[in-house]
Amino acid sequence: MTTTTDEWKPTACILCECNCGLEVALGGPEGRTLAKIRGDKLHPGSHGYTCEKPLRLDRYQNGRAERVLHPLRRTADGSYEQISWEVAISEISARLTEIGVEHGGDAIMYYGGGGQGNHLGGGYSRATFAAYGMGYRSSALAQEKTGEFWVNSSMLGAALVRSDLGNAQVAVFLGKNPWQSHGFPHARTMLRDIARDPERTLIVIDPRRTESAELADIHLQVRPGRDAWLLAAMIAVLVQEDLIATDWLAEHASGLADVLATFGGVDVDGYCTIAGVDEALVRQAVCAIGASDRTAFFEDLGVQMNHNSTLVSYLEKLIWLLTGNLGRTGTAYIPAVMVPLATARKDTSLHASVTPVTGSPILGGLMPCNVIPEEILTDHPKRFRGMLVESANPAHSLADSPRMREALAALDVLVVIDVAMTETARMADYVLPAPTQFEKPEATFFNFEFPRNVFHLRPPLLEAPDGPLPEAEIHARLVEASGALDPAVVDRLATAAQQGRDAFLTAFLMATAGDKRAAALAPVLLYRTLGPTLPEGRQSAALLWGATQLAFQANSASVQAAGHASGDALFDAILAGTSGVVFADDSADPEAAVWRRVRTDDGLVHLVIPELLQAARDLATDAPPGPTQEWPFVLSAGERRAFTANTIIRDPEWRRREPDGPLRISPNDAEKLGLTPGDEVEIETPRGKATARISIDEGRQDGHIALPNGLGLDHREDGERVVTGVAPNELTSAADRDPFAGTPRHKFVRARLTPIA
Ligand code: SF4
């Protein structure tokens, strides 16, 4: 008998970085089905908004993914055997320690730490990282955002910069289709509002006539991979037509003369021709930007995983900086953060920190995903020999899956912490099971809103089954097994925690202030000592006590303005606020708050990044990328659609439409190849081949095709593993990457198609 309770429980959507608040009513025979789902009106960021994606989230919790419920150890024949937690932790610790003794701890790398909805557990990895002396980490951000982080850090001294689209007069989306990929609260409502308002201008720069482009006042339908020429032409129009904010720049920026010299002589007409965009339309867009004092840009994966990605990030920022669009309502801002996802270095030179084998730049603290195989598959003495992967699936999600699998197989030890038996877990020596995101307290560190920024600690909806352990406990056990934790310190802190927060704060500062090692182990120290004093089931939120102290230190005025008198008060509000809390409020003086967070050495905006300004000059002679006779199509590998999500959704039944994720092609190209919707084609790239069904896309340029993200995963059906759709990274190359950030060009993969009769 199916039952549904009337009790609505707060949680959040885990399918994109917005993490909209949800309410769930449980049902099913055991009350473990996410039977009814609706937006949570009490969530201070999303206020009840959702798109269609979370309504079938039960397919994540109760779908046909191959759930892991016990620690597993790979056997000699490649199968897995169940082992106890004690054996698993002891053996893993011994193997990591052995690598550390023989080769140094930095021969073990850490990958992952969470996806769109789960960063809390990964926060504890920092202690494991320190305990075993690891030196390098990476995550999916290092195949998307690290170029932008470096540009932001170099120009503004802050890794993370966002835009106030809700109040912008001119909103510009670059390589971004927010109708499907969201990325900011109420994306669809906001798009419609801008589109309907005759006083506002919506500009979309995208090779495809996307759902967002359909709403736009101006769609600059750039040729795939040629955004750099388009943006350089836009800057040239600003400079040549004297549309720049001269007074603002004189007060706030350095390096203007070099920028003017670079773009003053650019051939606008020639660059627009290369970009494939009508020059008059480009001038119209630039005039709209130049005439407004409230322009907000949002760049995303369409350009960040494409040719010239870091250069494009730089040019994009130059446009809004040259027009003075920083700090004021409706322009770019730097938010207060709870836990920084990336760190801005003092030394912003590209090679200030590099990987051990290939010498690739480490940006935002993350090594490029694309070089991981090269850092393993070599006889270099500093190669990686061990890897700890947490809540991530590099064998599927990173470029060139065959090469990544080869690299993972070559490691001395691979340990995976995850909920399900993923493509990566199936290569591991040990798999450590974690509860799902609805079976433990969870949170994300995607807290980017402004002027009021929100943090949401989600209470568990369900009890975890016997077997899995929360990541906090897994890391605590790994750290304890390493011998890095001093039991006397743990005892002292545990005693202080029982005495109250003031005593704990004093004891914690005494334990960590002069002791770098203890400070590095802080997440686990907090979990073991403060954790047991927290409300039932919230022990793994202990890490947030440290985060709230640091957030208060860094942005005390903003945190106080949000009603929290101290770090402790904020921590308590987060524990109590089951629908989320506003943790920072800059609405009293947003501009001053933004300028406080501009952390360049002289407090000015730095318009010049020498390598990138040179790259901008080189556009005059660079050969623009395009298809070739051998490879007549450009494939966008990983397009965001109505029913695509990240790889945590393994059950294709989650998709109400297009469960197998067809390859999209223009009507002309389909006709030329004699294809009709539903026909199958072989798609071949320089790296691999696959078979896909096609669908016709009226908004697509000829020569431009696309496959969706999140496909090519398997699930269990009648005891068999069944794969649905094409895994995009079977077709991509890790070598095809940005020269600065090393990010892959997934949105520009040369390809050819052969109809299957
Ligand atoms: S916008 Fe993102 S977080 Fe919000 S409901 Fe849709 S997929 Fe979920």
Side-chain angles (χ1 to χ4, degrees):
M1 189 184 77
T2 299
T3 57
T4 303
T5 69
D6 288 334
E7 188 188 353
W8 289 93
K9 297 185 170 193
T11 184
C13 177
I14 55 178
L15 299 177
C16 92
E17 67 181 64
C18 296
N19 301 116
C20 297
L22 299 179
E23 288 188 300
V24 172
L26 297 171
E30 291 162 19
R32 292 186 67 85
T33 303
L34 277 55
K36 292 199 243 167
I37 297 174
R38 67 185 184 192
D40 181 359
K41 292 190 174 131
L42 295 180
H43 189 280
S46 57
H47 303 285
Y49 173 91
T50 73
C51 68
E52 71 279 18
K53 290 192 183 189
L55 302 181
R56 289 153 69 90
L57 261 180
D58 189 60
R59 293 294 85 204
Y60 161 76
Q61 176 65 34
N62 295 304
R64 294 171 293 171
E66 203 174 324
R67 181 100 192 250
V68 189
L69 290 171
H70 304 281
L72 299 175
R73 177 176 59 197
R74 179 189 282 278
T75 62
D77 67 5
S79 63
Y80 284 91
E81 61 186 350
Q82 189 178 318
I83 55 174
S84 69
W85 276 104
E86 290 68 27
V87 170
I89 296 292
S90 145
E91 288 189 9
I92 291 166
S93 179
R95 292 186 70 173
L96 296 179
T97 303
E98 196 179 301
I99 291 175
V101 169
E102 280 185 32
H103 308 288
D106 56 8
I108 308 161
M109 83 160 283
Y110 175 86
Y111 184 84
Q116 301 286 8
N118 57 325
H119 294 146
L120 190 58
Y124 290 91
S125 70
R126 298 203 168 264
T128 306
F129 193 85
Y132 291 91
M134 300 183 199
Y136 301 91
R137 60 169 59 234
S138 191
S139 77
L141 286 171
Q143 63 170 355
E144 300 170 351
K145 304 284 176 194
T146 37
E148 188 185 20
F149 291 157
W150 176 55
V151 170
N152 287 336
S153 302
S154 303
M155 299 179 94
L156 296 158
L160 194 79
V161 180
R162 303 277 284 197
S163 279
D164 179 13
L165 295 153
N167 292 301
Q169 185 182 19
V170 179
V172 188
F173 294 102
L174 172 60
K176 167 97 188 149
N177 177 14
W179 191 266
Q180 298 297 16
S181 64
H182 313 284
F184 51 90
H186 306 115
R188 290 180 181 174
T189 317
M190 200 182 287
L191 278 173
R192 280 203 206 97
D193 286 350
I194 302 171
R196 279 192 202 118
D197 188 338
E199 303 297 316
R200 302 173 78 187
T201 306
L202 178 61
I203 300 173
V204 171
I205 301 174
D206 200 303
R208 178 177 171 249
R209 200 174 69 242
T210 60
E211 295 83 351
S212 306
E214 291 275 4
L215 291 169
D217 298 288
I218 300 173
H219 176 202
L220 303 177
Q221 195 166 11
V222 63
R223 292 182 67 186
R226 299 192 179 184
D227 305 78
W229 283 269
L230 173 60
L231 296 188
M234 292 173 77
I235 296 170
V237 174
L238 283 176
V239 169
Q240 293 165 18
E241 302 286 326
D242 197 16
L243 296 170
I244 63 173
T246 312
D247 294 344
W248 186 90
L249 290 163
E251 188 182 349
H252 292 296
S254 68
L256 180 60
D258 286 343
V259 173
L260 297 183
T262 299
F263 294 95
V266 161
D267 169 13
V268 173
D269 180 26
Y271 277 31
C272 289
T273 303
I274 290 171
V277 185
D278 176 47
E279 184 189 347
L281 204 56
V282 173
R283 288 185 182 276
Q284 188 188 336
V286 176
C287 284
I289 294 167
S292 167
D293 62 353
R294 285 183 290 127
T295 294
F297 270 73
F298 196 132
E299 64 159 76
D300 211 345
L301 305 189
V303 291
Q304 291 173 341
M305 295 180 131
N306 212 323
H307 276 273
N308 292 307
S309 65
T310 307
L311 172 61
V312 165
S313 285
Y314 174 59
L315 298 175
E316 179 254 319
K317 276 138 213 10
L318 272 183
I319 294 178
W320 52 259
L321 285 168
L322 287 171
T323 46
N325 284 295
L326 172 68
R328 292 185 321 282
T329 298
T331 69
Y333 63 81
I334 303 170
V337 291
M338 177 66 78
V339 177
L341 278 175
T343 43
R345 288 192 253 113
K346 274 269 167 249
D347 179 355
T348 55
S349 56
L350 186 61
H351 289 89
S353 173
V354 296
T355 59
V357 174
T358 62
S360 303
I362 293 173
L363 304 175
L366 301 170
M367 57 176 282
C369 301
N370 274 342
V371 306
I372 294 171
E374 291 165 62
E375 302 278 338
I376 297 170
L377 296 169
T378 166
D379 57 5
H380 193 288
K382 297 300 286 179
R383 69 182 179 274
F384 294 133
R385 300 165 194 260
M387 198 162 163
L388 175 57
V389 175
E390 179 170 1
S391 301
N393 191 357
H396 180 278
S397 305
L398 301 188
D400 198 344
S401 297
R403 179 94 167 140
M404 185 59 67
R405 287 193 290 268
E406 194 186 337
L408 295 177
L411 292 165
D412 294 353
V413 66
L414 171 62
V415 180
V416 169
I417 301 171
D418 214 319
V419 173
M421 203 65 183
T422 64
E423 289 68 17
T424 306
R426 281 206 292 278
M427 305 206 59
D429 298 287
Y430 297 91
V431 185
L432 302 179
T436 72
Q437 296 190 39
F438 298 121
E439 295 169 347
K440 62 193 171 195
E442 252 309 353
T444 78
F445 303 149
F446 290 142
N447 318 118
F448 306 141
E449 300 319 309
F450 186 82
R452 302 171 85 237
N453 205 353
V454 171
F455 188 84
H456 187 190
L457 175 67
R458 290 132 43 195
L461 285 179
L462 300 162
E463 265 189 36
D466 285 342
L469 289 177
E471 290 88 342
E473 180 67 29
I474 296 173
H475 285 294
R477 293 187 187 193
L478 284 170
V479 169
E480 285 158 352
S482 76
L485 223 48
D486 180 347
V489 173
V490 176
D491 283 350
R492 268 203 307 279
L493 286 176
T495 305
Q498 295 297 335
Q499 292 164 352
R501 292 280 179 72
D502 289 345
F504 184 74
L505 177 61
T506 307
F508 186 79
L509 291 176
M510 278 175 63
T512 55
D515 184 345
K516 273 193 180 167
R517 192 160 173 75
L521 301 173
V524 161
L525 274 176
L526 289 171
Y527 174 70
R528 278 290 185 244
T529 59
L530 184 68
T533 69
L534 301 181
E536 179 66 24
R538 304 292 183 90
Q539 187 173 357
S540 55
L543 166 82
L544 296 176
W545 178 84
T548 53
Q549 305 301 321
L550 293 173
F552 189 80
Q553 254 176 38
N555 291 291
S556 52
S558 316
V559 176
Q560 285 181 57
H564 314 292
S566 65
D568 262 300
L570 173 57
F571 181 57
D572 287 333
I574 285 171
L575 287 176
T578 54
S579 288
V581 297
V582 173
F583 74 89
D585 187 347
D586 291 313
S587 46
D589 191 348
E591 194 165 0
V594 170
W595 281 103
R596 274 200 304 276
R597 296 177 195 132
V598 172
R599 297 265 167 82
T600 50
D601 48 6
D602 52 9
L604 294 174
V605 170
H606 293 182
L607 296 176
V608 173
I609 303 176
E611 298 94 326
L612 294 178
L613 202 56
Q614 184 56 47
R617 289 185 201 110
D618 293 344
L619 289 173
T621 50
D622 285 348
T628 63
Q629 212 167 8
E630 190 184 7
W631 306 104
F633 289 95
V634 171
L635 167 71
S636 173
E639 186 176 66
R640 269 58 180 169
R641 298 180 185 169
F643 280 95
T644 65
N646 46 50
T647 58
I648 59 169
I649 298 283
R650 302 186 67 85
D651 185 342
E653 267 188 18
W654 170 74
R655 293 183 199 96
R656 259 205 342 254
R657 296 194 299 274
E658 300 188 326
D660 60 344
L663 180 137
R664 288 185 176 162
I665 185 169
S666 79
N668 279 339
D669 286 334
E671 192 184 335
K672 272 192 222 155
L673 291 167
L675 294 167
T676 56
D679 286 352
E680 285 198 324
V681 289
E682 180 188 80
I683 174 164
E684 184 178 1
T685 70
R687 193 64 190 106
K689 280 183 193 176
T691 300
R693 193 171 58 81
I694 68 137
S695 73
I696 310 286
D697 181 356
E698 300 283 344
R700 192 163 294 282
Q701 295 184 29
D702 295 342
H704 191 218
I705 54 178
L707 282 168
N709 69 314
L711 273 288
L713 298 161
D714 61 44
H715 65 280
R716 282 272 174 190
E717 223 169 284
D718 300 327
E720 299 290 317
R721 281 199 179 116
V722 180
V723 177
T724 306
V726 177
N729 285 312
E730 299 294 332
L731 301 170
T732 60
S733 162
D736 195 7
R737 60 192 185 226
D738 183 71
F740 300 99
T743 41
R745 296 173 179 143
H746 286 350
K747 308 294 181 183
F748 191 100
V749 180
R750 290 193 177 92
R752 59 182 168 229
L753 297 178
T754 309
I756 296 175

